[in-house]
Amino acid sequence: WSSDVCSSDLRYHLPLAAGEIMTLDLAKGEIVSQTYLPDSAPGGVGNLVLADGLLVSVDPFAITAYEDRETITGEIARRKATNPEDPLALLREAEMALLQRSHEPAVELLRRIPDGALPEADEARRRGLLFSSLQSLVRADFHRPSIDADMRQLQELATSPEQVLALRRLQADRHLADQQFEPAFDAYLKLAEDSGRQMIPQDHNPAVQVRADWWVAGKLVDLLASLPDERKPEIGRAHV
């Protein structure tokens, strides 16, 4: 495990290094739930403490509070009883799905919320969650049937410098997945030129940040190594 555990009412909350809290039922010896930190969260799961109905994780990078599941689901049910398309209920439902890394259902819920239906802060949260969820789905399968529509929506959602950089990285990775080696090479080079020393998350461990130009250098080495022998001179001549 990653840090101090926490228990209450025969429930044992175990923090794991992969950014996950596993909850065990001590009476039954079963896993009750697996809850993950948001993809954008810095650091990992730290020391756990229960306070005022919240499960709080504290590490050197952040403090993250998890509300009681029954409280949240009760609020969602009350709102949807009045309006099945209640925007805030849909947002909370999507957040619940993302705690289980269920990106596809979360995207469907977030897309059901009309633009402007939420207060400004909640709308910013919706757009951020939709961007990160779509990014995860695209990265998991660059050949998904909805890839073109997903990439267009990501382009519409990308407003912050970090999101723009993440989108350009995704576009380069898509070229590579499609074996479009020269466009991929050009996209990575341009990414390195424009990103300077910005920090980006590692591919397989988003909690770890690396310099974008160093990351690109590693990607280019891997790309050249994976090229068929007959394509290497072609790429080399194009970038002399």
Side-chain angles (χ1 to χ4, degrees):
W1 61 77
S2 72
S3 193
D4 289 348
V5 299
C6 179
S7 63
S8 68
D9 299 328
L10 295 178
R11 296 291 176 92
Y12 187 80
H13 305 290
L14 178 66
L16 302 177
E20 173 188 355
I21 298 174
M22 181 181 292
T23 300
L24 308 171
D25 185 317
L26 297 181
K28 297 179 181 178
E30 297 176 351
I31 297 174
V32 177
S33 66
Q34 293 169 269
T35 302
Y36 297 86
L37 285 174
D39 293 333
S40 59
V45 180
N47 297 328
L48 299 178
V49 63
L50 285 167
D52 297 328
L54 297 175
L55 180 62
V56 182
S57 165
V58 182
D59 78 348
F61 301 97
I63 298 175
T64 306
Y66 299 87
E67 294 182 70
D68 177 69
R69 179 179 296 273
E70 292 182 5
T71 301
I72 300 173
T73 54
E75 178 195 351
I76 292 170
R78 284 191 299 274
R79 286 181 168 275
K80 296 187 84 171
T82 303
N83 175 12
E85 294 296 308
D86 182 278
L88 190 55
L90 294 174
L91 178 61
R92 299 305 303 273
E93 207 170 351
E95 289 174 326
M96 292 280 287
L98 289 174
L99 288 176
Q100 311 303 317
R101 298 277 171 91
S102 299
H103 294 103
E104 199 83 60
V107 165
E108 292 175 6
L109 289 162
L110 293 166
R111 281 173 167 169
R112 283 165 56 186
I113 302 173
D115 290 339
L118 291 166
E120 186 176 347
D122 291 330
E123 173 63 12
R125 196 160 91 249
R126 181 191 76 89
R127 290 177 62 88
L129 291 173
L130 185 52
F131 183 91
S132 62
S133 300
L134 272 175
Q135 181 181 253
S136 296
L137 289 174
V138 167
R139 185 164 296 286
D141 182 7
F142 282 105
H143 301 107
R144 54 192 268 115
S146 60
I147 181 68
D148 291 328
D150 292 340
M151 292 298 289
R152 284 194 297 271
Q153 186 166 29
L154 281 167
Q155 195 153 3
E156 294 168 2
L157 291 167
T159 53
S160 71
E162 294 78 15
Q163 288 174 334
V164 171
L165 182 63
L167 175 61
R168 292 182 57 192
R169 175 181 171 183
L170 203 62
Q171 291 166 334
D173 288 344
R174 185 186 178 193
H175 286 312
L176 186 57
D178 290 340
Q179 296 191 335
Q180 298 177 348
F181 298 117
E182 190 165 340
F185 202 96
D186 290 338
Y188 286 130
L189 283 179
K190 183 65 175 169
L191 188 61
E193 290 173 7
D194 295 345
S195 61
R197 297 188 176 186
Q198 280 184 265
M199 305 297 286
I200 60 174
Q202 281 186 339
D203 289 340
H204 304 298
N205 188 1
V208 177
Q209 300 273 319
V210 296
R211 265 179 48 174
D213 52 352
W214 291 354
W215 176 86
V216 168
K219 292 293 287 189
L220 292 178
V221 169
D222 291 343
L223 190 159
L224 289 172
S226 68
L227 280 176
D229 290 339
E230 65 271 15
R231 298 294 304 276
K232 290 179 181 178
E234 174 187 331
I235 296 292
R237 285 195 301 273
H239 297 90
V240 170

